Amino acid sequence: MSPRRVYIDMLCALFTVGLVLALTGNIVVSLLVAVLSEVVFVSVSNIKYGILGEPLLFSDLFVARSFLQHPKFYLFSIPWYARIFVVVFMLFLVVGAFFFVVPEPVPHLAGLFMAVMAMLGIRGLPAAKWVPAADLAQDRQRFGLPGITFLYCTPWTPSRTPAPGPPLPGRAAYDAVVVIQCESFADPARLPLPASVGPVAMPGLARARQWACQQGELQVSGFGAYTMRSEYGVLYGRTEAELGFRAFDPFLTAAQESSYALPNRLKEAGYHGVFMHPHDIRFYNRNQLMPACGFERMIGPEAYAHTASTDMPYISDMALGDSIGALVRAAREPVLVYAVTMENHGPWAASSQPALGLANYLRHLGNSDRMLADLMQALSGMDRNILLVFFGDHRPSITGVFSPVAERDVPYVAVSLGPGKDSHHSTGKTVSLSPAGLHALILEYAVKPA
């Protein structure tokens, strides 16, 4: 173990012990809490690593709000024994706070002094020198979990000066640009499906590839989660190299880069932006970020008649696709529609039933594919020129079926539809892109040079 890792671990342990001692004045309780906290921290990180291929990071601290709003998004991936342990640990903290508090002030002051000194030591770590760039696999070995939590957080702090987006001269090349970010949409042919499943037909994706002016693999960084990374890349066009440590959750600092966003840039060409998501718009703070991006209208779950059920806990992709078609048909000015689907979001089944989880996933994936086929047919029948861009945000993570692997690509297609477009029914280019590259592709097609 490196001296730097020992030093950071010591500072973190002193901070935890000092903080609890400042609250309780009981050194025995403080030591127990410090040990149990480390056990919980490492255990949760190992669970996350097994499911998503990444350890706990500083950005995961901000997930607490989302966890309280939508616990089902996270609880299904946590084993039952871990849930019990966390509950017992929290009860221990409550009991310790009420029954083991020492009234004498000296231990409390000593604990406060320890916590303050440890935090000053943590804040004084030369993060920029020790971790000039993120390398999770190497840095976790060199600095440990507490180490990368603090070292990655320090250089993450963004500049307070908003960066201006580059100018975009030109006018709208389409009557409508429709971008669909499809939840957990992946090409089954690229997934390590069990031999018992056999080939899975995707007629919608096959037709879209046949009609596409460009299609290929979208190289996303997340596995089984991290929708915000793919979404940010496509919406803002910022590469993960440009974001640096902010790439782990770019939505946390998105408000400072709204001038880069698609609707703000396409507004100059005459497009009016509409954001559609049939789920809680507050997730990822979209209720504030999307208007700042330039979306003039937000359509959330209240626009859909839906009753949650075990079979369909979320609003269906078919319903979303129908509403997209209706919106485009009713538009009288060039419109940019950015829709985020929800049907194919986990949990697909309990972790103890991987076969059922896979069956449910493939069934919902088929519905997403059918939505793509039906929407293409509907849009192509309109007497207007439309650019349809469809992509998956990440591959699914199903315990016992899909584990994190190096290959994380998902499909994307860009289809040019309408009487004035000659790419219809012709196979276009096949190009592998990053989410930021897809952003550039949309701008290239959507704007006609002045």
Side-chain angles (χ1 to χ4, degrees):
M1 187 179 294
S2 69
R4 291 176 178 177
R5 179 169 179 174
V6 172
Y7 177 62
I8 295 173
D9 286 346
M10 181 186 68
L11 288 176
C12 293
L14 284 175
F15 175 76
T16 305
V17 172
L19 182 62
V20 180
L21 185 61
L23 295 173
T24 66
N26 190 318
I27 186 62
V28 175
V29 170
S30 301
L31 291 172
L32 283 173
V33 169
V35 172
L36 291 174
S37 297
E38 182 69 13
V39 171
V40 170
F41 191 49
V42 172
S43 299
V44 172
S45 181
N46 288 340
I47 291 171
K48 182 192 172 192
Y49 188 84
I51 297 172
L52 304 179
E54 288 187 10
L56 277 179
L57 297 168
F58 70 93
S59 54
D60 291 318
L61 299 175
F62 296 92
V63 175
R65 175 185 175 188
S66 299
F67 180 87
L68 294 175
Q69 290 176 340
H70 301 285
K72 65 181 179 180
F73 281 7
Y74 308 94
L75 284 176
F76 78 94
S77 60
I78 302 175
W80 64 268
Y81 55 84
R83 302 182 201 181
I84 294 175
F85 182 85
V86 171
V87 171
V88 171
F89 177 60
M90 297 303 296
L91 289 175
F92 174 79
L93 290 180
V94 173
V95 172
F98 282 97
F99 295 100
F100 298 104
V101 174
V102 175
E104 288 79 5
V106 174
H108 295 271
L109 293 175
L112 180 62
F113 177 77
M114 288 173 57
V116 171
M117 294 305 294
M119 181 51 66
L120 289 175
I122 291 170
R123 291 182 63 85
L125 294 173
K129 180 180 179 181
W130 288 1
V131 286
D135 186 339
L136 276 178
Q138 181 178 338
D139 292 338
R140 190 170 64 148
Q141 294 297 323
R142 291 195 299 163
F143 304 110
L145 280 175
I148 61 173
T149 297
F150 289 105
L151 291 173
Y152 277 29
C153 183
T154 302
W156 163 80
T157 306
S159 167
R160 293 183 178 276
T161 304
L168 188 68
R171 56 190 178 86
Y174 288 87
D175 299 303
V177 173
V178 178
V179 183
I180 300 178
Q181 173 183 311
C182 196
E183 173 63 38
S184 298
F185 189 91
D187 184 351
R190 298 279 298 166
L191 297 177
L193 293 172
S196 58
V197 174
V200 177
M202 299 285 283
L205 180 61
R207 185 186 303 174
R209 284 170 168 166
Q210 181 185 4
W211 290 11
C213 46
Q214 184 168 316
Q215 57 93 16
E217 298 169 355
L218 192 67
Q219 302 297 338
V220 301
S221 63
F223 178 88
Y226 303 114
T227 294
M228 84 292 280
R229 297 181 188 175
S230 305
E231 184 172 333
Y232 191 90
V234 176
L235 266 179
Y236 289 77
R238 304 282 279 158
T239 67
E240 295 194 352
E242 291 172 326
L243 291 171
F245 290 89
R246 292 189 290 143
F248 292 112
D249 190 346
F251 268 32
L252 296 176
T253 55
Q256 301 190 25
E257 297 186 331
S258 58
S259 61
Y260 283 94
L262 270 178
N264 274 333
R265 300 196 64 196
L266 290 178
K267 189 178 296 184
E268 301 174 35
Y271 289 98
H272 297 268
V274 180
F275 182 81
M276 305 177 72
H277 182 43
H279 196 64
D280 193 343
I281 298 290
R282 296 172 300 169
F283 213 73
Y284 295 138
N285 203 30
R286 289 189 180 108
N287 58 320
Q288 297 181 27
L289 290 178
M290 295 308 153
C293 283
F295 287 108
E296 301 170 22
R297 184 180 173 193
M298 305 269 286
I299 300 177
E302 66 282 350
Y304 301 87
H306 173 71
T307 302
S309 65
T310 304
D311 179 68
M312 187 73 72
Y314 308 111
I315 292 170
S316 73
D317 285 359
M318 292 297 296
L320 178 62
D322 290 344
S323 66
I324 292 172
L327 189 151
V328 171
R329 188 180 297 276
R332 295 293 176 262
E333 296 178 294
V335 62
L336 165 68
V337 179
Y338 194 102
V340 180
T341 76
M342 196 62 199
E343 175 179 340
N344 205 25
H345 197 292
W348 296 284
S351 58
S352 60
Q353 301 173 288
L356 178 59
L358 177 59
N360 286 340
Y361 167 72
L362 293 177
R363 179 166 55 85
H364 290 299
L365 182 68
N367 290 340
S368 302
D369 183 73
R370 187 157 58 96
M371 179 265 285
L372 173 59
D374 288 359
L375 185 58
M376 273 199 311
Q377 196 64 40
L379 296 178
S380 65
M382 299 181 189
D383 187 23
R384 55 187 65 193
N385 295 320
I386 301 167
L387 176 66
L388 172 63
V389 177
F390 181 95
F391 69 97
D393 59 351
H394 54 72
R395 291 187 178 190
S397 175
I398 303 177
T399 304
V401 181
F402 302 132
S403 299
V405 292
E407 294 78 18
R408 302 187 174 189
D409 58 87
V410 289
Y412 81 88
V413 290
V415 184
S416 189
L417 303 166
K421 304 301 174 184
D422 58 8
S423 60
H424 190 52
H425 290 282
S426 63
T427 302
K429 296 180 294 184
T430 298
V431 183
S432 179
L433 291 177
S434 67
L438 187 57
H439 171 98
L441 176 71
I442 295 170
L443 291 180
E444 177 187 348
Y445 276 87
V447 179
K448 186 178 298 184

